[in-house]
C-alpha cells in the first residue's frame, strides 16, 4: 500500500530547490516535505506546474494543532508519476494564519472554510472565509485542544 | 329511529350496520388508521424510514404511506436521525406549523437521547424531547423497519386510548 | 417599463429532494437560478472531535455513520489507514471478503441513487424497484454481520468473522438475477423519454474544471477523467481483478447518471471474480490485543461510491488517535453545485443534486 508515496530521496531532491525553507520530515508512510509558510504557494505552484512533477490533484487539505504550533497538511497526487506528495507548513499559535490555496486549486475553498470553522485558522486570500458547518453565531473552534463546550440548558 | 329500540337489542344494531360510539372514539380510530407523516428524515435512520415505506416492509398496509412534504398537511413528525442545535430551530418551526392533533415519534438512538454522538455536546441535542414533546421512542441504531412499524403501532394504540397515555399540552 | 429583480428562495433543509438536511439558498431571476448557495452543517455531529476521545477500534462504528449508505467502504478506508500505520498485513481471505463487501455496498449505494433520482423526477415505481432490490443485498449483509446499514464488519486487521456457509451461494444467486434487474431499470427509467429529456445536455462541467474543483468519483468520471482509485492507486487486492471504469463524455447530468448505472455492472463483475478466487484461511491478522500505533501520521484513500474517501490519522503513540481528518467526497463535490445550477431552472437544481449524489452524513461529518 505504500507503493505510491514519494521516497525520502525524492523528497530531499525537492527540498533542495527550496532550502533553507524546506526540509524532509517523518519516515515511511509519514514522509513529508515541511516548508516555511511564506514559500508554501511557491512550492505548490512549482510541483503543480513543473513538467517533471505534475502534482495536479489536491487530494486533501487539513490542519492539526500541536502543542507549539499549527500545521497545515496538503496531500497532492500526480497521475503522471502515480505518486502522492505530502506538504506541511507551520504557523505559530498566535498567528494561526496560512496562505490560501484557492488560487491554485478552487476545490480547496470548502476545505479551508472547514478548517477556519472548526480550528480557527485564517487563510489569507480566501474569497469567502466564513463558517461552513457550525451556525454563524457559534463562538469557539471545536477542534482546538482547549475547546470547552458551552453547557446548553 | 326510536331510542328505546337501540338500547334494548344491541346485537341487531350491528346487523343493521349501526355502531354506537362516541365522536372522540371515531375520530381517534380514523386518525390512528391514517397517519400522514412528514418527510423529516435527518440522518441514517431516514434510510430505514424510506425502506419501511418501500415494497418489502410496506407502510401502506397500515395506512401510513402518505408522506407529505409540507407540515401543514402532515400529522406525524418522525424525527429520524441526529438533531443538531443548528437544525433544532427549523425542526421546532416545522412542529409548530403542523396542525393539531399532531404526534411525534423519536426514531433511533440519536433522536431518543443523543445516541453515539451525545458527547459532541457543542453540536448534538441530547434527544429530540429537549425541543418538542415526543409520543413514542423507538430505540435502535438504526432501528430496523420492523421496529419503526412497531413504534407506529404503539402510537396507534396510544391514539386510540388517550385515557391511558395523555400527552402534556406544551405551549 | 416593468422592473424585475432577483429574489431569494429557500430550499431545505427539510425538502424531499435535497438528499438529507441540505439547505440551498437560491437567488432566482424569475425561475432561472442566478446563484445557488449550499448551506451545510445541519447534521454536523463532531465526528472528528469525537475520534480524539475514542480508541482506534471504538472509533470504527462512527465511520459507519459518515456516508451511511456505503458503510462498508467507510470501514474499509479507516481500517486500511490504521493498518498502514501499524504495518499490519491482512490475510488473503479477509482481503477478498472485503472486496466482495465493498462492491456489494457500491451496488447498494448506487441503487439508492437510482431510487432517489427516480422519485425526484416523479417515478415512485423507480424508487420502489431500487429499494426492493437493495433489500436483497441488505439480506446478504444481514447474513454476515447482523446489520442492514451500519456494519462495522470490516475490522482493523481483517474482518469481524468468517462468512457463513450459505453466503457464497446466496451472493451468486443475487448476481445471477442482477442483469435482469438492470435491464428492468434501463427499460423503465433510462429509456424513458421524459427522464432523458430532463438529464441530457444540462449542467455540463468540463474535465479541467472538475479537476480544479477537486471533484472525484462518478461525478468526475462523467466528465471523461479516467480517475478511479481502484485502478490508479489500488488498495487491498483490487489489482487482481479485471474490470473497466465507465467514463462519460460530456459531463452533463445524463453522463453522471449513466456512469453509476454502468458501475453497478462492473461491481457485479468484480464480485464474481472475487467469489471464484476466494481463498481459504484466517480472516483476522495476528495483532496485539491493544491497538497502539507508533507515533506518526498517515493518509490513505479509497474509491467510495461517492468519490475519493480519505482518512488522515495522526498518532501520538497512545491508544487514542491525536487527530483524525476525513476527506469527504460529497463535501468537496458540493462546491460544484453553484456553477452547475447557474442559468438553469429549479427543476434542474433537483436533477443536479440527484446526479451529484451528496450524502449529508458525509458532507457535515
Amino acid at each position: 500500500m505504500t507503493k505510491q508515496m514519494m521516497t525520502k530521496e525524492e523528497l530531499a531532491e525537492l527540498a533542495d530547490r527550496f532550502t533553507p525553507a524546506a526540509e524532509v520530515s517523518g519516515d515511511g508512510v509519514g514522509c513529508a516535505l515541511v516548508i516555511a509558510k511564506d514559500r508554501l504557494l511557491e512550492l505548490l505552484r512549482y510541483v503543480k506546474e513543473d513538467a517533471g512533477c505534475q502534482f495536479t490533484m489536491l487530494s486533501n487539505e487539513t490542519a492539526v494543532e500541536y502543542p507549539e504550533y499549527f500545521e497545515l497538511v496538503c496531500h497532492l497526487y500526480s497521475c503522471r508519476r502515480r505518486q502522492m506528495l505530502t506538504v506541511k507548513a507551520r504557523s505559530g499559535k498566535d498567528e494561526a494564519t496560512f496562505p490560501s490555496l484557492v488560487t491554485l486549486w478552487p476545490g480547496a475553498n470548502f476545505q479551508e472554510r472547514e478548517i477556519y470553522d472548526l480550528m480557527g485558522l485564517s487563510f489569507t486570500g480566501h474569497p469567502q472565509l466564513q463558517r461552513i458547518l457550525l451556525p454563524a453565531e457559534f463562538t469557539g473552534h471545536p477542534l482546538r485542544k482547549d475547546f470547552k463546550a458551552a453547557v446548553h440548558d | 329511529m326510536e331510542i328505546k329500540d337501540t338500547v334494548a337489542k344491541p346485537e341487531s344494531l350491528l346487523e343493521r350496520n349501526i355502531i354506537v360510539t362516541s365522536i372522540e372514539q371515531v375520530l381517534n380510530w380514523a386518525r390512528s388508521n391514517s397517519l400522514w407523516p412528514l418527510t423529516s428524515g435527518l440522518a441514517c435512520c431516514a434510510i430505514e424510514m424510506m425502506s419501511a415505506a418501500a415494497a418489502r416492509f410496506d407502510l401502506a398496509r397500515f395506512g401510513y404511506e402518505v408522506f407529505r412534504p409540507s407540515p401543514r398537511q402532515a400529522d406525524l413528525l418522525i424525527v429520524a436521525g441526529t438533531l443538531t442545535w443548528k437544525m433544532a430551530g427549523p425542526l421546532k418551526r416545522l412542529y409548530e406549523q403542523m396542525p393539531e392533533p399532531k404526534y411525534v415519534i423519536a426514531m433511533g438512538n440519536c433522536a431518543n437521547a443523543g445516541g453515539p454522538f451525545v458527547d459532541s455536546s457543542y453540536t448534538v441535542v441530547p434527544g429530540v424531547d429537549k425541543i418538542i414533546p415526543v409520543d413514542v421512542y423507538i430505540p435502535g441504531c438504526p432501528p430496523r423497519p420492523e421496529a419503526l412499524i412497531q413504534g407506529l403501532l404503539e402510537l396507534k394504540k396510544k391514539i386510540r386510548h388517550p385515557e391511558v397515555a395523555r400527552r402534556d399540552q406544551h405551549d | 417599463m416593468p422592473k424585475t429583480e432577483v429574489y431569494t428562495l429557500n430550499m431545505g433543509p427539510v425538502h424531499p429532494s435535497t438528499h438529507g438536511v441540505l439547505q440551498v439558498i437560491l437567488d432566482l431571476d424569475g425561475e432561472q437560478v442566478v446563484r445557488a448557495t449550499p448551506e451545510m452543517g445541519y447534521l454536523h455531529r463532531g465526528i472528528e472531535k469525537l475520534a480524539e476521545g475514542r480508541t482506534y477500534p471504538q472509533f470504527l462504528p462512527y465511520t459507519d455513520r459518515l456516508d451511511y449508505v456505503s458503510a462498508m467502504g467507510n470501514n474499509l478506508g479507516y481500517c486500511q489507514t490504521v493498518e498502514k500505520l501499524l504495518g499490519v498485513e491482512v490475510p488473503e481471505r479477509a482481503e477478498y471478503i472485503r472486496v466482495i463487501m465493498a462492491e456489494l455496498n457500491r451496488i447498494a449505494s448506487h441503487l439508492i441513487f437510482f431510487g432517489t433520482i427516480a422519485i425526484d423526477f416523479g417515478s415512485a415505481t423507480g424508487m420502489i424497484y431500487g429499494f426492493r432490490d437493495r433489500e436483497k443485498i441488505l439480506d446478504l449483509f444481514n447474513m454476515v454481520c447482523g446489520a442492514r446499514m451500519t456494519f462495522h464488519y470490516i475490522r482493523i486487521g481483517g474482518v469481524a468473522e468468517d462468512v457463513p456457509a450459505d453466503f457464497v451461494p446466496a451472493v451468486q444467486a443475487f448476481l445471477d438475477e442482477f442483469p435482469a434487474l438492470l435491464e428492468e431499470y434501463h427499460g423503465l427509467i433510462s429509456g424513458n423519454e421524459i427522464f432523458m429529456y430532463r438529464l441530457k445536455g444540462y449542467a455540463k462541467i468540463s474535465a479541467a474544471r472538475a479537476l480544479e474543483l477537486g471533484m472525484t468519483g462518478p461525478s468526475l468520471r462523467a466528465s471523461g477523467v479516467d480517475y478511479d482509485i481502484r485502478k490508479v492507486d489500488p488498495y487491498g487486492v483490487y489489482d487482481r481483478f479485471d474490470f473497466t471504469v465507465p467514463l462519460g463524455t460530456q459531463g452533463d447530468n445524463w453522463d453522471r447518471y449513466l456512469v453509476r448505472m454502468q458501475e453497478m455492472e462492473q461491481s457485479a463483475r468484480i464480485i464474481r471474480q472475487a467469489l471464484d478466487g476466494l481463498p481459504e484461511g484466517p480472516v483476522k491478522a495476528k495483532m496485539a490485543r491493544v491497538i497502539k500505533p507508533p507515533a506518526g501520521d498517515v493518509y490513505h484513500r479509497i474509491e467510495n461510491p461517492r468519490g475519493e474517501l480519505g482518512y488522515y490519522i495522526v498518532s501520538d503513540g497512545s491508544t487514542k488517535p491525536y487527530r483524525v481528518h476525513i476527506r469527504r467526497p460529497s463535501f468537496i463535490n458540493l462546491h460544484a453545485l453553484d456553477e452547475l445550477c447557474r442559468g438553469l431552472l429549479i427543476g434542474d437544481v433537483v436533477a443536479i443534486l440527484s446526479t451529484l449524489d451528496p450524502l449529508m452524513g458525509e458532507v457535515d461529518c
Side-chain angles (χ1 to χ4, degrees), chain C residues 6 10 15 86 89 114 128 135 146 159 161 168 185 198 208 251 263 269 281 292-294 328 331 340:
Chain C
V6 169
N10 182 47
H15 187 283
L86 283 170
E89 191 158 319
F114 170 76
I128 298 291
E135 292 289 334
V159 294
E161 53 183 30
V168 171
Y185 306 150
R198 276 194 75 173
E263 272 187 13
R269 240 177 110 182
K292 249 194 192 186
R328 301 150 350 244
F331 179 62
L340 286 175

Side-chain angles (χ1 to χ4, degrees), chain B residues 38-48 50-51 53-57 69 81-84 86-87 90-91 94 110 116-117 119-120 122-124 141-142 144-146, chain C residues 13-16 20-21 39-47 49-50 54 62 64-65 68-69 112 116 127-128 131-132 134-136 138-139 142 146 148-150 359-360:
Chain B
L38 176 65
T39 56
S40 57
L42 300 176
C44 342
C45 285
I47 305 290
E48 292 293 57
M50 285 154 67
S51 297
R56 185 181 186 177
F57 300 104
T82 322
L83 185 64
T84 59
K86 190 170 183 179
M87 188 64 198
L91 190 81
L94 277 177
C110 292
F117 303 101
D119 288 347
S120 289
Y122 71 90
T123 180
V124 166
C141 191
R144 284 186 67 106
E146 292 101 322
Chain C
V14 174
H15 187 283
V21 282
E39 175 75 29
M40 299 156 263
Y42 289 96
L43 194 56
H44 175 66
R45 299 182 275 196
I47 294 180
K49 180 79 183 177
L50 274 173
R54 303 275 182 278
Y62 289 95
D64 285 327
R65 288 147 177 88
Y68 35 82
V69 305
I112 291 208
T116 49
M127 179 179 194
I128 298 291
F131 275 75
R132 174 199 67 186
R134 177 175 170 260
E135 292 289 334
K136 300 186 172 116
L138 297 188
D139 275 342
N142 198 18
R148 287 160 51 90
M149 228 167 77
T150 47
L359 203 94
M360 296 321 287

Side-chain angles (χ1 to χ4, degrees), chain B residues 31-37 63-64 66 75-76 103 152 155 159:
Chain B
R31 283 171 192 146
S32 67
N33 271 332
S34 77
L35 293 167
W36 284 17
Y64 306 146
V66 189
D75 59 358
L76 171 62
Y103 312 99
L152 285 164
L155 181 64
I159 298 173

Side-chain angles (χ1 to χ4, degrees), chain B residues 105-119:
Chain B
I105 291 186
M107 177 182 177
N109 290 351
C110 292
N112 289 355
F117 303 101
V118 73
D119 288 347

Side-chain angles (χ1 to χ4, degrees), chain C residues 65-224:
Chain C
R65 288 147 177 88
L66 288 164
D67 177 358
Y68 35 82
V69 305
S70 5
M72 286 287 185
N74 304 344
N75 293 153
L76 180 62
Y78 175 70
C79 288
Q80 286 188 329
T81 313
V82 180
E83 285 154 13
K84 217 167 173 175
L85 204 53
L86 283 170
V88 160
E89 191 158 319
V90 174
E92 284 256 313
R93 186 173 171 84
E95 290 279 25
Y96 274 75
I97 295 176
R98 283 178 168 191
V99 167
I100 296 171
M101 296 302 165
E103 293 307 311
L104 276 173
N105 214 165
R106 194 180 308 273
I107 300 177
S109 171
H110 286 337
L111 282 173
I112 291 208
F113 158 78
F114 170 76
T116 49
I117 198 173
I119 199 163
D120 282 345
F121 288 179
S123 164
T125 312
M127 179 179 194
I128 298 291
Y129 281 14
F131 275 75
R132 174 199 67 186
D133 298 326
R134 177 175 170 260
E135 292 289 334
K136 300 186 172 116
I137 300 180
L138 297 188
D139 275 342
L140 296 169
F141 288 144
N142 198 18
M143 199 188 289
V144 158
C145 62
R148 287 160 51 90
M149 228 167 77
T150 47
F151 315 109
H152 45 277
Y153 169 70
I154 295 178
R155 303 282 171 91
I156 302 171
V159 294
E161 53 183 30
D162 205 346
V163 296
D166 44 357
F167 177 71
V168 171
V171 179
Q172 272 162 349
F174 170 73
L175 291 176
D176 289 336
E177 64 171 336
F178 191 57
L181 300 174
L182 272 178
E183 232 180 86
E184 198 177 40
Y185 306 150
H186 284 302
L188 177 73
I189 301 287
S190 317
N192 182 299
E193 201 180 315
I194 299 174
F195 198 75
M196 287 199 274
Y197 184 72
R198 276 194 75 173
L199 288 180
K200 282 196 177 165
Y202 292 106
K204 288 193 193 167
I205 187 163
S206 68
R209 186 64 186 158
L211 279 170
E212 268 187 357
L213 289 176
M215 289 177 82
T216 48
S219 305
L220 176 67
R221 293 195 282 279
S223 300

Side-chain angles (χ1 to χ4, degrees), chain C residues 13-29:
Chain C
V14 174
H15 187 283
S17 306
T18 50
H19 292 249
V21 282
L22 173 67
Q23 182 183 26
V24 185
I25 299 172
L26 295 167
D27 292 316
L28 297 165
D29 174 18

